[in-house]
């Protein structure tokens, strides 16, 4: 009996509020249909969005790796340039020291040459004196 009473009560409610029940049922059916049609579209949209985001992340990673590689190459080039600069500076310093030694040697040789010239002049003078005395 309780079952029959429940069905009877439901039938009376539908009879009294029939249009509202039918509208509610239609709204539920339409919502279910929209959900069934909309969920795959929403799911594919979210999948495409995730794929685009994943591709963006891959591109960023490639760009980051390329930037790091380029920066590494620049750093290596700068290091090589610094090494070359240091080598050139050392060579210039060595050349400067060598030129200073050669210059001092040339100055000393010039002084020695002057002393030798003075000695030769004295010897020449003495030889002339000797020649004059011996020729008389």
């Amino acid at each position: 009996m309780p079952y029959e009473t429940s069905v009877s009560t439901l039938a009376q409610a539908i009879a009294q509020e029939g249009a509202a029940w039918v509208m509610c049922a239609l709204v539920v059916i339409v919502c279910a249909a929209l959900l069934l049609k909309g969920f795959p579209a929403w799911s594919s949209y979210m999948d495409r969005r995730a794929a685009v985001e994943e591709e963006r992340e891959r591109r960023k990673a490639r760009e980051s790796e390329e930037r790091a590689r380029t920066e590494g190459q620049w750093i290596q080039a700068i290091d090589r340039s610094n090494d070359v600069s240091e080598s050139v500076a050392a060579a210039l310093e060595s050349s400067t020291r060598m030129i200073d030694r050669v210059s001092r040697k040339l100055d000393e040789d010039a002084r020695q040459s002057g002393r030798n010239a003075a000695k030769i002049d004295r010897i020449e003078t003495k030889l002339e004196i000797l020649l004059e005395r011996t020729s008389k």
Side-chain angles (χ1 to χ4, degrees), residues 71-85:
E71 288 173 358
Q73 290 170 349
W74 277 105
I75 289 170
Q76 288 175 350
I78 289 169
D79 287 344
R80 285 191 303 268
S81 174
N82 288 341
D83 292 344
V84 168
S85 294

Side-chain angles (χ1 to χ4, degrees), residues 10-11 13-31:
L10 181 63
I14 291 174
Q16 289 174 356
E17 303 290 334
W21 282 97
V22 170
M23 283 303 286
C24 285
L26 285 176
V27 167
V28 168
I29 291 172
V30 168
C31 287

Side-chain angles (χ1 to χ4, degrees), residues 38-104:
F39 181 74
W42 180 77
S43 178
S44 68
Y45 166 76
M46 291 306 284
D47 289 344
R48 284 191 313 270
R49 187 172 164 186
V52 166
E53 186 66 29
E54 186 177 326
E55 181 59 32
R56 181 180 299 131
E57 290 300 321
R58 273 194 230 113
R59 188 186 77 244
K60 284 181 180 179
R62 281 192 310 268
E63 289 172 355
S64 177
E65 289 171 5
E66 185 176 329
R67 186 173 30 258
R69 187 173 34 258
T70 302
E71 288 173 358
Q73 290 170 349
W74 277 105
I75 289 170
Q76 288 175 350
I78 289 169
D79 287 344
R80 285 191 303 268
S81 174
N82 288 341
D83 292 344
V84 168
S85 294
E86 289 172 3
S87 297
V88 167
L92 284 174
E93 185 177 329
S94 175
S95 296
T96 302
R97 284 192 308 267
M98 188 182 307
I99 289 170
D100 287 344
R101 281 194 308 265
V102 168
S103 178
R104 284 192 303 271

Side-chain angles (χ1 to χ4, degrees), residues 31-42:
C31 287
L34 286 176
L35 187 62
L36 288 176
K37 294 288 183 175
F39 181 74
W42 180 77

Side-chain angles (χ1 to χ4, degrees), residues 12 42 110 120:
Q12 282 180 352
W42 180 77
I120 290 174

